Coordinates of all heavy atoms in Angstrom, one line a residue:
M1 N -15.2 4.1 -8.4 CA -15.6 2.7 -8.0 C -15.1 2.5 -6.6 O -13.9 2.6 -6.4 CB -15.1 1.7 -9.0 CG -15.4 0.3 -8.7 SD -16.2 -0.4 -10.1 CE -16.5 -2.0 -9.5
P2 N -15.9 2.0 -5.7 CA -15.5 1.8 -4.3 C -14.5 0.6 -4.3 O -14.6 -0.4 -5.1 CB -16.8 1.4 -3.6 CG -17.9 1.9 -4.5 CD -17.4 1.9 -5.9
A3 N -13.5 0.7 -3.4 CA -12.5 -0.3 -3.2 C -12.2 -0.4 -1.7 O -12.2 0.6 -1.0 CB -11.3 0.0 -4.0
P4 N -11.7 -1.6 -1.3 CA -11.3 -1.7 0.1 C -10.1 -0.8 0.5 O -9.2 -0.7 -0.3 CB -11.0 -3.2 0.3 CG -11.7 -3.9 -0.9 CD -11.7 -2.9 -2.0
I5 N -10.2 -0.3 1.7 CA -9.1 0.5 2.2 C -8.0 -0.4 2.7 O -8.2 -1.4 3.3 CB -9.6 1.4 3.4 CG1 -10.6 2.5 2.8 CG2 -8.4 2.1 4.0 CD1 -11.2 3.3 3.9
L6 N -6.7 0.0 2.4 CA -5.6 -0.8 2.9 C -5.2 -0.3 4.3 O -5.4 0.8 4.7 CB -4.3 -0.5 2.0 CG -4.5 -1.0 0.6 CD1 -3.2 -0.8 -0.2 CD2 -4.8 -2.5 0.5
H7 N -4.8 -1.3 5.1 CA -4.5 -1.0 6.5 C -3.1 -1.7 6.8 O -2.5 -2.4 5.9 CB -5.6 -1.5 7.5 CG -5.8 -3.0 7.4 ND1 -6.1 -3.7 6.3 CD2 -5.9 -3.9 8.4 CE1 -6.3 -5.0 6.6 NE2 -6.2 -5.1 7.9
L8 N -2.6 -1.6 8.0 CA -1.3 -2.1 8.4 C -1.2 -3.6 8.2 O -0.2 -4.1 7.8 CB -1.0 -1.8 9.9 CG 0.3 -2.3 10.4 CD1 1.4 -1.6 9.7 CD2 0.4 -2.0 11.9
G9 N -2.3 -4.4 8.3 CA -2.3 -5.8 8.2 C -2.5 -6.3 6.8 O -2.6 -7.5 6.5
A10 N -2.7 -5.4 5.8 CA -3.0 -5.8 4.4 C -1.7 -6.5 3.9 O -0.6 -6.1 4.2 CB -3.4 -4.7 3.6
T11 N -1.9 -7.5 3.0 CA -0.7 -8.1 2.3 C -0.5 -7.4 1.0 O -1.3 -7.4 0.1 CB -1.0 -9.6 2.1 OG1 -1.3 -10.2 3.3 CG2 0.2 -10.2 1.4
V12 N 0.7 -6.7 0.9 CA 1.1 -6.0 -0.3 C 2.5 -6.5 -0.7 O 3.4 -6.7 0.1 CB 1.2 -4.5 0.0 CG1 1.6 -3.7 -1.3 CG2 -0.2 -4.0 0.5
L13 N 2.6 -6.9 -2.0 CA 3.8 -7.4 -2.5 C 4.4 -6.5 -3.6 O 3.6 -5.8 -4.3 CB 3.6 -8.8 -3.1 CG 3.0 -9.9 -2.2 CD1 2.7 -11.1 -3.0 CD2 3.9 -10.2 -1.0
C14 N 5.7 -6.6 -3.8 CA 6.2 -5.9 -5.0 C 6.0 -6.9 -6.2 O 5.5 -8.0 -6.0 CB 7.7 -5.6 -4.9 SG 8.9 -7.0 -5.0
S15 N 6.2 -6.5 -7.4 CA 6.0 -7.3 -8.6 C 6.8 -8.6 -8.6 O 6.6 -9.5 -9.4 CB 6.2 -6.5 -9.8 OG 5.2 -5.5 -9.9
H16 N 7.8 -8.6 -7.8 CA 8.7 -9.8 -7.7 C 8.6 -10.6 -6.4 O 9.5 -11.2 -6.0 CB 10.2 -9.3 -7.9 CG 10.3 -8.3 -9.0 ND1 10.4 -6.9 -8.7 CD2 10.3 -8.4 -10.3 CE1 10.5 -6.3 -9.9 NE2 10.4 -7.1 -10.9
A17 N 7.4 -10.5 -5.8 CA 7.0 -11.2 -4.6 C 7.8 -10.8 -3.3 O 7.8 -11.6 -2.4 CB 7.2 -12.7 -4.8
G18 N 8.3 -9.6 -3.3 CA 8.9 -9.1 -2.0 C 7.8 -8.5 -1.1 O 6.8 -8.0 -1.6
Q19 N 7.9 -8.7 0.2 CA 6.9 -8.3 1.1 C 7.0 -6.8 1.3 O 8.1 -6.3 1.7 CB 7.0 -9.0 2.5 CG 6.0 -8.6 3.5 CD 4.6 -9.1 3.2 OE1 4.5 -10.2 2.7 NE2 3.6 -8.3 3.6
A20 N 5.9 -6.0 1.2 CA 5.9 -4.6 1.4 C 5.2 -4.2 2.6 O 4.0 -4.6 2.8 CB 5.3 -3.9 0.1
L21 N 5.8 -3.4 3.5 CA 5.1 -3.0 4.8 C 5.1 -1.5 4.8 O 6.2 -0.9 4.6 CB 5.8 -3.6 6.0 CG 5.8 -5.1 6.1 CD1 6.7 -5.5 7.2 CD2 4.4 -5.5 6.4
P22 N 4.0 -0.9 5.2 CA 4.0 0.6 5.4 C 4.9 1.1 6.5 O 4.9 0.5 7.6 CB 2.5 0.9 5.6 CG 1.9 -0.4 6.2 CD 2.7 -1.5 5.6
M23 N 5.6 2.1 6.3 CA 6.5 2.6 7.3 C 5.8 3.6 8.3 O 6.3 3.7 9.4 CB 7.7 3.4 6.6 CG 8.6 2.4 5.9 SD 10.2 3.3 5.5 CE 10.0 3.3 3.7
S24 N 4.8 4.2 7.8 CA 4.1 5.2 8.7 C 2.6 5.2 8.5 O 2.1 6.1 7.9 CB 4.7 6.6 8.6 OG 4.6 7.0 7.3
P25 N 1.9 4.1 8.9 CA 0.4 4.1 8.8 C -0.2 5.2 9.6 O 0.5 5.7 10.6 CB 0.0 2.8 9.2 CG 1.1 2.3 10.1 CD 2.3 2.9 9.6
F26 N -1.4 5.7 9.4 CA -2.0 6.8 10.1 C -2.7 6.2 11.3 O -3.8 5.5 11.2 CB -3.0 7.5 9.2 CG -3.5 8.8 9.8 CD1 -2.7 9.9 9.9 CD2 -4.8 8.8 10.3 CE1 -3.2 11.0 10.5 CE2 -5.3 10.0 10.9 CZ -4.5 11.1 11.0
P27 N -2.2 6.4 12.5 CA -2.7 5.7 13.7 C -4.0 6.2 14.3 O -4.6 5.5 15.1 CB -1.6 6.0 14.8 CG -1.0 7.2 14.3 CD -1.1 7.3 12.8
R28 N -4.5 7.3 13.8 CA -5.8 7.9 14.4 C -7.0 7.3 13.7 O -8.1 7.6 14.2 CB -5.8 9.4 14.3 CG -4.7 9.9 15.3 CD -4.6 11.4 15.2 NE -5.8 12.0 15.8 CZ -6.2 13.2 15.7 NH1 -5.4 14.1 15.1 NH2 -7.3 13.7 16.2
V29 N -6.9 6.6 12.6 CA -8.1 6.0 11.9 C -7.8 4.6 11.8 O -6.8 4.1 11.3 CB -8.3 6.7 10.5 CG1 -9.4 6.0 9.8 CG2 -8.5 8.2 10.6
L30 N -8.7 3.8 12.4 CA -8.6 2.3 12.4 C -9.7 1.6 11.5 O -10.8 2.1 11.5 CB -8.7 1.8 13.8 CG -7.7 2.4 14.8 CD1 -8.0 1.8 16.2 CD2 -6.3 2.1 14.4
V31 N -9.3 0.6 10.8 CA -10.2 -0.3 10.2 C -9.8 -1.7 10.6 O -8.6 -2.0 10.6 CB -10.3 -0.2 8.6 CG1 -10.9 1.2 8.2 CG2 -9.0 -0.4 8.0
S32 N -10.7 -2.6 10.9 CA -10.4 -3.9 11.4 C -9.3 -3.8 12.6 O -8.4 -4.6 12.6 CB -9.9 -4.8 10.3 OG -10.9 -5.0 9.4
A33 N -9.5 -2.8 13.4 CA -8.6 -2.6 14.6 C -7.1 -2.3 14.2 O -6.3 -2.6 15.0 CB -8.7 -3.7 15.6
Q34 N -6.9 -1.9 13.0 CA -5.5 -1.6 12.6 C -5.5 -0.2 11.9 O -6.4 0.1 11.2 CB -5.0 -2.7 11.6 CG -4.9 -4.0 12.4 CD -4.2 -5.0 11.5 OE1 -3.3 -4.7 10.7 NE2 -4.5 -6.3 11.7
P35 N -4.4 0.5 12.0 CA -4.3 1.8 11.3 C -4.4 1.7 9.8 O -3.9 0.8 9.2 CB -2.9 2.3 11.7 CG -2.4 1.4 12.7 CD -3.2 0.1 12.7
V36 N -5.0 2.7 9.2 CA -5.1 2.8 7.7 C -3.8 3.3 7.2 O -3.0 3.9 7.9 CB -6.3 3.7 7.3 CG1 -7.6 3.2 7.7 CG2 -6.1 5.1 7.7
V37 N -3.6 3.1 5.9 CA -2.4 3.6 5.2 C -2.9 4.7 4.2 O -3.9 4.5 3.5 CB -1.8 2.4 4.4 CG1 -0.6 3.0 3.6 CG2 -1.3 1.3 5.3
T38 N -2.2 5.8 4.2 CA -2.5 6.9 3.3 C -1.4 7.0 2.2 O -0.4 6.3 2.3 CB -2.5 8.2 4.1 OG1 -1.2 8.5 4.5 CG2 -3.5 8.2 5.2
L39 N -1.7 7.8 1.2 CA -0.7 8.0 0.1 C 0.6 8.6 0.6 O 1.6 8.5 0.0 CB -1.3 8.8 -1.0 CG -2.5 8.3 -1.7 CD1 -2.8 9.1 -2.9 CD2 -2.4 6.8 -2.1
A40 N 0.6 9.2 1.8 CA 1.8 9.8 2.4 C 2.7 8.8 3.0 O 3.9 9.1 3.2 CB 1.4 10.8 3.4
S41 N 2.3 7.6 3.2 CA 3.1 6.6 3.8 C 3.9 5.8 2.8 O 3.4 5.1 2.0 CB 2.3 5.6 4.6 OG 3.1 4.6 5.1
P42 N 5.3 5.8 2.9 CA 6.1 5.0 2.0 C 6.1 3.5 2.5 O 5.7 3.3 3.7 CB 7.5 5.6 2.1 CG 7.5 6.3 3.4 CD 6.1 6.7 3.7
Y43 N 6.4 2.6 1.6 CA 6.5 1.2 2.0 C 7.9 0.7 1.9 O 8.7 1.1 1.0 CB 5.7 0.3 1.0 CG 4.2 0.2 1.3 CD1 3.3 1.3 1.1 CD2 3.7 -0.9 1.8 CE1 2.0 1.2 1.3 CE2 2.3 -1.1 2.1 CZ 1.5 0.0 1.8 OH 0.1 -0.1 2.1
A44 N 8.3 -0.1 2.9 CA 9.6 -0.8 2.9 C 9.4 -2.1 2.3 O 8.5 -2.9 2.6 CB 10.2 -0.9 4.3
I45 N 10.3 -2.5 1.3 CA 10.2 -3.8 0.7 C 11.3 -4.7 1.0 O 12.5 -4.3 0.9 CB 10.1 -3.6 -0.9 CG1 8.9 -2.8 -1.2 CG2 10.0 -5.0 -1.6 CD1 8.8 -2.4 -2.7
A46 N 11.0 -5.9 1.4 CA 12.0 -6.9 1.8 C 11.8 -8.2 1.0 O 10.6 -8.6 0.8 CB 12.0 -7.2 3.3
G47 N 12.8 -8.9 0.6 CA 12.7 -10.2 0.0 C 12.4 -10.1 -1.5 O 11.8 -11.1 -2.1
C48 N 12.7 -9.0 -2.2 CA 12.4 -8.9 -3.6 C 13.3 -10.0 -4.3 O 14.5 -10.2 -4.0 CB 12.8 -7.5 -4.1 SG 12.6 -7.3 -5.9
A49 N 12.7 -10.7 -5.3 CA 13.4 -11.8 -6.0 C 14.5 -11.3 -6.9 O 15.3 -12.1 -7.4 CB 12.4 -12.6 -6.8
L50 N 14.6 -10.0 -7.1 CA 15.7 -9.5 -8.0 C 17.0 -9.4 -7.3 O 18.0 -9.0 -7.9 CB 15.3 -8.1 -8.5 CG 14.2 -8.0 -9.5 CD1 13.9 -6.6 -10.0 CD2 14.5 -8.9 -10.7
T51 N 17.1 -9.7 -6.0 CA 18.3 -9.7 -5.2 C 19.3 -10.7 -5.9 O 18.9 -11.8 -6.2 CB 18.1 -10.1 -3.8 OG1 17.1 -9.2 -3.2 CG2 19.3 -10.0 -2.9
G52 N 20.5 -10.3 -6.1 CA 21.5 -11.1 -6.7 C 21.5 -11.1 -8.2 O 22.3 -11.8 -8.8
T53 N 20.7 -10.3 -8.8 CA 20.7 -10.1 -10.3 C 21.3 -8.8 -10.6 O 21.5 -7.9 -9.8 CB 19.2 -10.2 -10.8 OG1 18.5 -9.1 -10.3 CG2 18.5 -11.5 -10.4
P54 N 21.6 -8.6 -11.9 CA 22.2 -7.3 -12.3 C 21.2 -6.1 -12.1 O 21.6 -5.0 -11.9 CB 22.5 -7.5 -13.8 CG 22.5 -8.9 -14.1 CD 21.6 -9.6 -13.0
T55 N 19.9 -6.4 -12.1 CA 18.9 -5.4 -11.9 C 18.8 -5.2 -10.4 O 18.6 -6.1 -9.6 CB 17.5 -5.8 -12.5 OG1 17.7 -6.2 -13.8 CG2 16.5 -4.7 -12.3
P56 N 18.8 -3.9 -9.9 CA 18.7 -3.7 -8.5 C 17.3 -4.1 -8.0 O 16.3 -3.9 -8.7 CB 18.9 -2.2 -8.3 CG 18.6 -1.6 -9.7 CD 18.9 -2.7 -10.7
P57 N 17.2 -4.7 -6.8 CA 15.9 -5.1 -6.2 C 15.0 -3.9 -5.8 O 15.5 -2.8 -5.6 CB 16.3 -6.0 -5.0 CG 17.6 -5.4 -4.6 CD 18.3 -5.0 -5.9
C58 N 13.7 -4.2 -5.6 CA 12.8 -3.2 -5.1 C 13.2 -2.9 -3.6 O 13.4 -3.9 -2.9 CB 11.4 -3.7 -5.2 SG 10.8 -4.0 -6.9
L59 N 13.3 -1.7 -3.3 CA 13.7 -1.3 -1.9 C 12.5 -0.6 -1.2 O 12.3 -0.9 0.0 CB 14.9 -0.4 -1.9 CG 16.2 -1.0 -2.5 CD1 17.3 0.0 -2.6 CD2 16.6 -2.2 -1.7
T60 N 11.9 0.3 -1.9 CA 10.8 1.1 -1.3 C 9.6 1.1 -2.3 O 9.8 0.9 -3.5 CB 11.1 2.5 -0.9 OG1 11.5 3.2 -2.0 CG2 12.2 2.5 0.2
G61 N 8.5 1.5 -1.8 CA 7.3 1.6 -2.7 C 6.5 2.8 -2.2 O 6.5 3.2 -1.1
Q62 N 5.6 3.3 -3.1 CA 4.7 4.4 -2.8 C 3.4 4.3 -3.6 O 3.5 4.1 -4.8 CB 5.4 5.7 -3.1 CG 4.7 6.9 -2.7 CD 4.8 7.2 -1.2 OE1 5.8 7.1 -0.6 NE2 3.7 7.6 -0.6
F63 N 2.3 4.4 -2.9 CA 1.0 4.5 -3.6 C 0.9 5.9 -4.1 O 1.2 6.9 -3.4 CB -0.2 4.2 -2.7 CG -0.4 2.7 -2.7 CD1 0.2 1.9 -1.7 CD2 -1.3 2.1 -3.6 CE1 0.0 0.5 -1.7 CE2 -1.5 0.7 -3.6 CZ -0.9 0.0 -2.6
V64 N 0.5 6.1 -5.4 CA 0.4 7.4 -6.0 C -1.0 7.8 -6.3 O -1.3 8.9 -6.6 CB 1.3 7.5 -7.3 CG1 2.8 7.4 -6.9 CG2 1.0 6.4 -8.3
M65 N -1.9 6.8 -6.3 CA -3.3 7.1 -6.5 C -4.1 6.2 -5.6 O -3.9 5.0 -5.5 CB -3.7 6.8 -8.0 CG -5.1 7.2 -8.3 SD -5.5 7.0 -10.1 CE -4.6 8.4 -10.7
G66 N -5.1 6.8 -4.9 CA -5.9 6.1 -3.9 C -7.3 6.6 -4.0 O -7.8 7.0 -5.0
A67 N -7.9 6.8 -2.8 CA -9.3 7.3 -2.7 C -9.4 8.7 -3.1 O -8.5 9.5 -2.7 CB -9.8 7.0 -1.3
A68 N -10.4 9.1 -3.7 CA -10.6 10.5 -4.1 C -11.4 11.3 -3.1 O -11.3 12.5 -2.9 CB -11.3 10.6 -5.5
R69 N -12.3 10.6 -2.3 CA -13.2 11.2 -1.4 C -12.9 10.9 0.1 O -13.6 11.5 0.9 CB -14.6 10.8 -1.7 CG -15.0 11.3 -3.1 CD -16.4 10.8 -3.4 NE -17.2 11.8 -4.1 CZ -18.4 11.7 -4.3 NH1 -19.2 10.7 -3.9 NH2 -19.0 12.7 -5.0
V70 N -12.1 10.0 0.4 CA -11.8 9.6 1.8 C -10.4 10.0 2.1 O -9.4 9.5 1.5 CB -12.1 8.1 2.0 CG1 -11.8 7.7 3.4 CG2 -13.5 7.7 1.6
L71 N -10.3 10.8 3.2 CA -9.0 11.3 3.6 C -8.7 10.9 5.1 O -9.7 10.8 5.8 CB -8.9 12.8 3.5 CG -9.2 13.5 2.2 CD1 -9.2 15.0 2.3 CD2 -8.3 13.0 1.1
A72 N -7.5 10.7 5.4 CA -7.1 10.5 6.8 C -5.9 11.4 7.1 O -4.9 11.3 6.5 CB -6.7 9.0 7.1
G73 N -6.1 12.4 8.0 CA -5.0 13.3 8.3 C -4.7 14.2 7.1 O -3.6 14.7 7.0
G74 N -5.7 14.4 6.3 CA -5.6 15.3 5.1 C -5.0 14.6 3.9 O -4.8 15.3 2.8
A75 N -4.7 13.3 4.0 CA -4.1 12.6 2.8 C -5.1 11.5 2.4 O -5.7 10.9 3.2 CB -2.8 12.0 3.2
P76 N -5.2 11.3 1.1 CA -6.1 10.2 0.6 C -5.6 8.9 1.1 O -4.4 8.6 1.3 CB -5.9 10.3 -0.9 CG -5.4 11.6 -1.2 CD -4.6 12.0 0.0
V77 N -6.6 8.0 1.4 CA -6.2 6.6 1.9 C -5.9 5.8 0.7 O -6.4 6.0 -0.4 CB -7.4 6.0 2.7 CG1 -7.6 6.7 4.0 CG2 -8.7 5.9 1.9
A78 N -5.0 4.8 0.9 CA -4.6 3.9 -0.1 C -5.7 2.8 -0.2 O -6.3 2.4 0.8 CB -3.3 3.2 0.2
T79 N -6.0 2.4 -1.4 CA -7.0 1.4 -1.7 C -6.5 0.2 -2.4 O -5.4 0.2 -3.0 CB -8.2 2.0 -2.5 OG1 -7.7 2.3 -3.8 CG2 -8.8 3.1 -1.8
L80 N -7.2 -0.9 -2.4 CA -6.9 -2.2 -3.0 C -6.6 -2.0 -4.5 O -5.8 -2.7 -5.1 CB -7.9 -3.2 -2.8 CG -7.6 -4.7 -3.1 CD1 -6.5 -5.2 -2.2 CD2 -8.8 -5.5 -3.0
T81 N -7.3 -1.1 -5.1 CA -7.2 -0.8 -6.6 C -6.4 0.4 -6.9 O -6.3 0.8 -8.1 CB -8.6 -0.7 -7.2 OG1 -9.2 0.5 -6.6 CG2 -9.4 -1.9 -7.1
G82 N -5.7 1.0 -5.9 CA -4.9 2.1 -6.2 C -3.6 1.8 -7.0 O -3.2 0.7 -7.1
Q83 N -3.0 2.9 -7.6 CA -1.8 2.7 -8.3 C -0.6 3.0 -7.5 O -0.7 3.9 -6.6 CB -1.8 3.6 -9.5 CG -2.9 3.3 -10.5 CD -2.9 4.3 -11.7 OE1 -2.2 5.3 -11.7 NE2 -3.8 4.0 -12.7
S84 N 0.5 2.3 -7.7 CA 1.7 2.4 -6.9 C 2.9 2.2 -7.8 O 2.8 1.8 -8.9 CB 1.7 1.4 -5.8 OG 1.6 0.1 -6.3
V85 N 4.1 2.5 -7.2 CA 5.3 2.3 -7.9 C 6.4 1.9 -6.9 O 6.4 2.3 -5.7 CB 5.7 3.6 -8.6 CG1 6.0 4.8 -7.7 CG2 6.9 3.4 -9.5
C86 N 7.3 1.0 -7.3 CA 8.4 0.5 -6.5 C 9.7 1.3 -7.0 O 9.8 1.6 -8.2 CB 8.7 -1.0 -6.7 SG 7.4 -2.0 -6.0
I87 N 10.5 1.6 -6.0 CA 11.8 2.3 -6.3 C 12.9 1.3 -6.1 O 12.9 0.6 -5.1 CB 12.0 3.5 -5.4 CG1 10.7 4.4 -5.3 CG2 13.2 4.2 -5.7 CD1 10.4 5.0 -6.6
P88 N 13.8 1.0 -7.0 CA 14.2 1.8 -8.2 C 13.7 1.1 -9.5 O 14.0 1.6 -10.6 CB 15.7 1.7 -8.2 CG 16.0 0.4 -7.6 CD 14.9 0.2 -6.6
T89 N 12.9 0.0 -9.4 CA 12.5 -0.7 -10.6 C 11.4 0.0 -11.4 O 11.3 -0.3 -12.6 CB 12.1 -2.1 -10.2 OG1 10.9 -2.1 -9.4 CG2 13.2 -2.9 -9.6
G90 N 10.5 0.7 -10.7 CA 9.4 1.4 -11.4 C 8.2 0.4 -11.7 O 7.2 0.8 -12.3
T91 N 8.3 -0.8 -11.1 CA 7.1 -1.7 -11.3 C 6.1 -1.4 -10.2 O 6.4 -0.8 -9.2 CB 7.6 -3.2 -11.1 OG1 8.3 -3.3 -9.9 CG2 8.6 -3.5 -12.3
P92 N 4.9 -1.9 -10.3 CA 3.8 -1.6 -9.3 C 3.9 -2.6 -8.1 O 4.4 -3.7 -8.2 CB 2.5 -1.8 -10.1 CG 2.9 -2.8 -11.2 CD 4.3 -2.5 -11.5
M93 N 3.4 -2.1 -7.0 CA 3.1 -3.0 -5.9 C 1.8 -3.6 -6.1 O 0.9 -3.0 -6.7 CB 3.1 -2.2 -4.5 CG 4.5 -1.7 -4.2 SD 4.5 -1.0 -2.5 CE 3.4 0.3 -2.6
L94 N 1.6 -4.8 -5.5 CA 0.4 -5.6 -5.8 C -0.3 -5.9 -4.4 O 0.1 -6.7 -3.7 CB 0.7 -6.9 -6.5 CG 1.5 -6.8 -7.7 CD1 2.0 -8.1 -8.2 CD2 0.7 -6.1 -8.8
P95 N -1.4 -5.1 -4.1 CA -2.1 -5.5 -2.9 C -2.9 -6.8 -3.1 O -3.6 -6.9 -4.1 CB -3.1 -4.3 -2.7 CG -2.7 -3.3 -3.6 CD -1.9 -3.9 -4.7
V96 N -2.6 -7.8 -2.2 CA -3.2 -9.1 -2.4 C -4.4 -9.3 -1.5 O -5.4 -9.8 -1.9 CB -2.1 -10.2 -2.2 CG1 -2.7 -11.6 -2.4 CG2 -0.9 -9.9 -3.1
V97 N -4.2 -9.0 -0.2 CA -5.3 -9.2 0.8 C -5.5 -7.9 1.6 O -4.5 -7.3 2.0 CB -4.8 -10.4 1.7 CG1 -5.9 -10.5 2.8 CG2 -4.6 -11.6 1.0
A98 N -6.7 -7.6 1.8 CA -7.1 -6.4 2.6 C -8.4 -6.7 3.3 O -9.1 -7.6 2.9 CB -7.2 -5.1 1.7
Q99 N -8.7 -5.8 4.3 CA -10.0 -6.0 4.9 C -11.0 -5.6 3.9 O -10.8 -4.8 3.0 CB -10.0 -5.0 6.2 CG -9.8 -3.6 5.9 CD -11.0 -2.9 5.3 OE1 -12.1 -3.2 5.7 NE2 -10.8 -1.9 4.5
M100 N -12.2 -6.2 4.1 CA -13.3 -6.0 3.1 C -14.5 -5.3 3.6 O -15.5 -5.2 2.9 CB -13.7 -7.4 2.5 CG -12.6 -8.2 1.8 SD -11.8 -7.3 0.5 CE -12.9 -7.5 -0.8
R101 N -14.4 -4.8 4.8 CA -15.6 -4.2 5.4 C -15.8 -2.7 5.1 O -16.9 -2.2 5.1 CB -15.6 -4.4 7.0 CG -15.7 -5.9 7.3 CD -15.8 -6.0 8.8 NE -17.2 -5.7 9.1 CZ -17.7 -5.9 10.4 NH1 -16.9 -6.3 11.3 NH2 -18.9 -5.6 10.6
V102 N -14.7 -2.0 4.9 CA -14.7 -0.6 4.7 C -14.2 -0.3 3.3 O -13.1 -0.6 2.9 CB -13.9 0.2 5.7 CG1 -14.0 1.7 5.5 CG2 -14.3 -0.2 7.2
L103 N -15.1 0.4 2.5 CA -14.8 0.8 1.1 C -14.6 2.3 1.0 O -15.3 3.0 1.8 CB -15.9 0.3 0.2 CG -16.2 -1.2 0.2 CD1 -17.4 -1.5 -0.7 CD2 -15.0 -2.1 -0.1
A104 N -13.8 2.7 0.1 CA -13.6 4.1 -0.2 C -13.7 4.4 -1.7 O -13.4 3.5 -2.5 CB -12.3 4.6 0.3
T105 N -14.2 5.6 -2.1 CA -14.2 5.9 -3.5 C -13.3 7.1 -3.7 O -12.9 7.8 -2.8 CB -15.6 6.4 -3.9 OG1 -16.0 7.4 -3.1 CG2 -16.6 5.2 -3.9

């Protein structure tokens, strides 16, 4: 099923409302004038609501499933419906807003 490709300007949150930003988007492929994110790019998470609780907060995240047919630099691109995981909690990241013009399957 086609889904929007995630890019540097997409809003991605951890499950506890922390802001997730890609650490290394792929600069050679642009959508909406911003670099796309591939499965090879880890995310840095800031502002996880678990800070100050006995459970450690989300620090990083990684998409583990994305597009099957669209690659950038040999790696699948991350999509709005892709699966992800936060480290160390194991909860998913939640893409909230992405560009809607370019879809990938």
